[in-house]
Amino acid sequence: MSVPRDFILGAASSAWQTEGWSGKKETQDSYIDLWYKNNKHVWHNGYGPAVATDYYNRYREDAALMKEIGLTHYRTSINWSRFLTDYENGNVDEEYAAYVDSMINELIQQGVEPMICLEHYELPAVLLETYGGWGSKHVVELFVKYAEKVFERYGERVKHWFTFNEPIVVQTRVYLDAIRYPFEQNTRKWMQWNFNKSLATAKVVQLFKEKGYKEKYGSKIGVILNPEVTYARSSAKHDQDAARIYDLFFYRVFMDPSIKGEYPAELLELMEKHDIVFEAADSELEIIKENTVDYVGLNLYFPHRVKARTTAWNEEVPFHPAFYYEMFELPGRKMNPFRGWEIYPQIMLDMALRMRDEYGNIEWFIAENGMGVENEFNYKNEQKMIQDDYRIEFISEHLKWLLKGIEEGSNCSGYMLWAFTDNVSPMNAFKNRYGLVEIDLDENRNRRMKKSAYWYQELIKKREISVKNDQLYK
């Protein structure tokens, strides 16, 4: 299969997962830093954001590797908690801003287009402790103030901007499932965070338009969402209803306001029914309606499969969308045994068709897709290079189905691998490795390209990919 010439073939990461704490002031903890400091014992082998991959000091080395591989684009974030010294007044930390400045310049110099996200779980910890984080409309205003400072600094050079990466994740883990610090099950808070982040996106898009960045520099602004594709166990109505409601709460809750400028009527009805309606002024809903995104990045790793509930709901427990569904494990499914995730590359085609048919065929791209594998040192050859053929197969098969979606007319503009290098993940730390480039924790976090990096290099150069023929019967 051939890959379109102008198709993005890049890789992604984030600030907190790579930079480390070099130069960070005591008052500049992010939500992630706070969680790590308070619950270090749940992070695999104690690794966390403190050193990460030391990208803050080694970004030139990494940019050179990106050039060697041939990445067309690299996505990372700016760490809000570090970019400012005063979140209320928007005072910039000149030391950190100079690093970002130099890092962006280095990428451009190496021929790699930077894609910058404004928030990738890096909410300043003091704003969580003082105002309740994204539950506060004041924090929304502070985010807009922060975005304005960032645009002023880098707006001329960065053409791809995003408000959030996976804006649903933090509050789902904290307030819905209560499995991450500060462990509070509170569905109303969950929904308010969801709304306020959509409002924040719309307000930043509004600012971006008012400043005329698209006209001046040809740049675009969007959001990166993680609407994993959902399948019902069966064609029966009860299972189809379960999948539809799951989709409302975890897919359309961000997709619809971001792209269509409004919330699904059925979702609003369910919120009313279960007394979890977010506080929203008419003027705020109007801002969301009038300031939709230019494009979206979608993070796709695995399918979600659901079925109707088979057990009664405990009424003493706060409402959770699982009131309507249970997760379903497809017998015989192909698995990534290390991550516990199903491997089903057809999610790419199904998402592509949905974007085409339900979302006005807006421009979109895969912002993350990848395969985490534990103990990758077991796959090293005599030259100490990791032979990650499993990753090559994973990328190939997902790209194949994505390209089929493009052939079917979906407006997909690229594929970003997670991740460029191995990096820190929440709690899992360095347990599951995702990178094209190994980070050797035993050797001062030195970098070494894996077999997949050389394969990706050839793919980018030749713009063609060899894939399995699905029509063959064995």
Side-chain angles (χ1 to χ4, degrees):
M1 299 180 79
S2 57
V3 180
R5 272 284 143 207
D6 56 351
F7 189 77
I8 291 168
L9 284 169
S13 194
S14 75
W16 80 265
Q17 290 172 283
T18 57
E19 285 175 357
W21 289 350
S22 289
K24 182 172 79 71
K25 281 69 172 177
E26 279 299 311
T27 55
Q28 291 180 317
D29 279 347
S30 66
Y31 158 71
I32 286 285
D33 298 334
L34 190 65
W35 175 24
Y36 177 64
K37 286 181 175 181
N38 282 292
N39 291 107
K40 188 182 170 191
H41 63 285
V42 303
W43 293 68
H44 184 68
N45 289 339
Y47 285 101
V51 183
T53 73
D54 198 27
Y55 181 74
Y56 186 91
N57 296 307
R58 301 177 72 159
Y59 63 88
R60 289 187 178 88
E61 179 185 351
D62 283 349
L65 280 169
M66 292 178 209
K67 181 183 180 181
E68 184 177 347
I69 295 168
L71 300 185
T72 64
H73 294 67
Y74 175 65
R75 173 172 71 88
T76 188
S77 57
I78 290 173
N79 191 327
W80 177 10
S81 64
R82 296 191 60 177
F83 189 74
L84 302 176
T85 54
D86 183 334
Y87 308 114
E88 302 290 339
N89 298 306
N91 296 339
V92 175
D93 183 321
E94 294 298 335
E95 183 185 357
Y96 184 78
Y99 148 74
V100 175
D101 200 61
S102 180
M103 185 264 293
I104 287 171
N105 285 344
E106 190 69 26
L107 291 172
I108 294 169
Q109 192 176 322
Q110 297 287 14
V112 181
E113 186 83 20
M115 305 176 98
I116 300 295
C117 192
L118 294 171
E119 203 259 36
H120 192 129
Y121 314 166
E122 297 122 350
L123 169 76
V126 67
L127 300 186
L128 177 65
E129 295 173 316
T130 307
Y131 301 114
W134 285 108
S136 162
K137 299 287 175 69
H138 180 59
V139 169
V140 172
E141 297 307 318
L142 296 182
F143 184 67
V144 177
K145 189 176 288 188
Y146 152 65
E148 186 170 14
K149 295 290 184 180
V150 170
F151 292 156
E152 285 171 4
R153 295 265 172 158
Y154 315 114
E156 287 186 42
R157 283 168 289 160
V158 176
K159 304 294 186 274
H160 298 272
W161 290 101
F162 307 94
T163 52
F164 294 95
N165 175 81
E166 299 185 343
I168 199 171
V169 166
V170 171
Q171 62 269 27
T172 299
R173 302 291 182 264
V174 174
Y175 296 116
L176 199 59
D177 298 329
I179 57 172
R180 292 184 185 173
Y181 180 86
F183 310 103
E184 179 189 345
Q185 192 173 19
N186 187 323
T187 315
R188 187 186 287 273
K189 270 191 184 179
W190 175 68
M191 193 52 79
Q192 193 65 52
W193 275 51
N194 288 339
F195 174 76
N196 287 355
K197 287 184 178 182
S198 287
L199 177 62
T201 287
K203 280 179 170 272
V204 171
V205 170
Q206 184 180 44
L207 170 71
F208 194 82
K209 289 197 295 192
E210 286 170 356
K211 297 288 185 182
Y213 287 106
K214 187 186 278 190
E215 293 76 21
K216 286 182 195 171
Y217 310 117
S219 49
K220 294 181 284 195
I221 187 161
V223 64
I224 293 164
L225 305 175
N226 57 314
E228 308 290 1
V229 186
T230 305
Y231 301 97
R233 170 182 60 172
S234 78
S235 58
K237 184 180 182 300
H238 52 275
D239 284 336
Q240 293 292 318
D241 288 346
R244 189 187 71 258
I245 292 174
Y246 184 97
D247 192 69
L248 282 168
F249 278 107
F250 295 104
Y251 180 112
R252 297 185 64 188
V253 68
F254 276 102
M255 290 286 280
D256 282 39
S258 299
I259 299 171
K260 297 180 178 181
E262 60 186 16
Y263 285 87
E266 187 182 4
L267 177 61
L268 296 174
E269 289 166 11
L270 286 167
M271 286 162 49
E272 190 77 46
K273 177 181 175 182
H274 294 286
D275 195 25
I276 56 165
V277 179
F278 47 68
E279 292 178 17
D282 289 344
S283 58
E284 293 170 338
L285 292 169
E286 193 62 28
I287 288 169
I288 288 173
K289 188 174 185 178
E290 293 177 357
N291 296 282
T292 53
V293 295
D294 296 325
Y295 62 161
V296 288
L298 302 181
N299 297 348
L300 294 188
Y301 288 93
F302 58 94
H304 281 280
R305 300 186 187 274
V306 299
K307 62 181 180 179
R309 287 201 68 82
T310 55
T311 56
W313 185 258
N314 179 359
E315 296 295 342
E316 300 301 313
V317 175
F319 171 74
H320 186 295
F323 180 91
Y324 291 101
Y325 67 83
E326 292 175 2
M327 303 313 291
F328 170 65
E329 293 184 356
L330 180 71
R333 68 199 184 285
K334 184 177 181 181
M335 292 291 290
N336 173 354
F338 305 101
R339 197 65 184 87
W341 288 350
E342 181 182 345
I343 297 174
Y344 186 67
Q346 288 94 317
I347 56 175
M348 295 295 196
L349 175 61
D350 292 338
M351 178 61 79
L353 298 181
R354 189 165 188 187
M355 294 302 292
R356 182 194 69 186
D357 298 340
E358 295 179 29
Y359 291 94
N361 213 16
I362 187 175
E363 181 190 346
W364 69 286
F365 65 97
I366 292 296
E368 288 181 24
N369 172 250
M371 186 181 190
V373 171
E374 198 175 342
N375 298 325
E376 278 203 318
F377 54 81
N378 288 331
Y379 302 97
K380 286 188 176 183
N381 64 9
E382 289 177 5
Q383 289 73 43
K384 290 193 170 183
M385 184 198 296
I386 291 170
Q387 304 295 294
D388 53 342
D389 295 275
Y390 43 82
R391 181 166 292 110
I392 293 168
E393 181 188 346
F394 184 95
I395 300 170
S396 299
E397 284 299 296
H398 283 80
L399 260 179
K400 172 179 78 179
W401 287 95
L402 187 61
L403 292 170
K404 285 183 178 183
I406 294 168
E407 287 172 2
E408 294 286 331
S410 189
N411 188 16
C412 178
S413 58
Y415 174 90
M416 303 284 286
L417 179 72
W418 187 270
F420 162 58
T421 63
D422 297 332
N423 55 37
V424 178
S425 294
M427 290 169 66
N428 274 316
F430 286 102
K431 181 181 178 185
N432 293 296
R433 303 302 189 96
Y434 284 87
L436 292 168
V437 176
E438 177 195 6
I439 299 293
D440 193 330
L441 297 177
D442 297 324
E443 291 184 12
N444 195 34
R445 287 173 167 78
N446 287 338
R447 279 71 166 142
R448 191 180 291 109
M449 284 166 60
K450 302 176 189 177
K451 183 177 180 180
S452 59
Y454 293 99
W455 173 86
Y456 207 52
Q457 181 185 59
E458 282 298 298
L459 169 65
I460 294 167
K461 201 181 294 178
K462 292 181 178 176
R463 294 273 157 177
E464 63 178 35
I465 185 170
S466 297
V467 294
K468 288 180 183 175
N469 182 351
D470 295 312
Q471 305 308 313
L472 293 177
Y473 297 101
K474 299 176 183 176

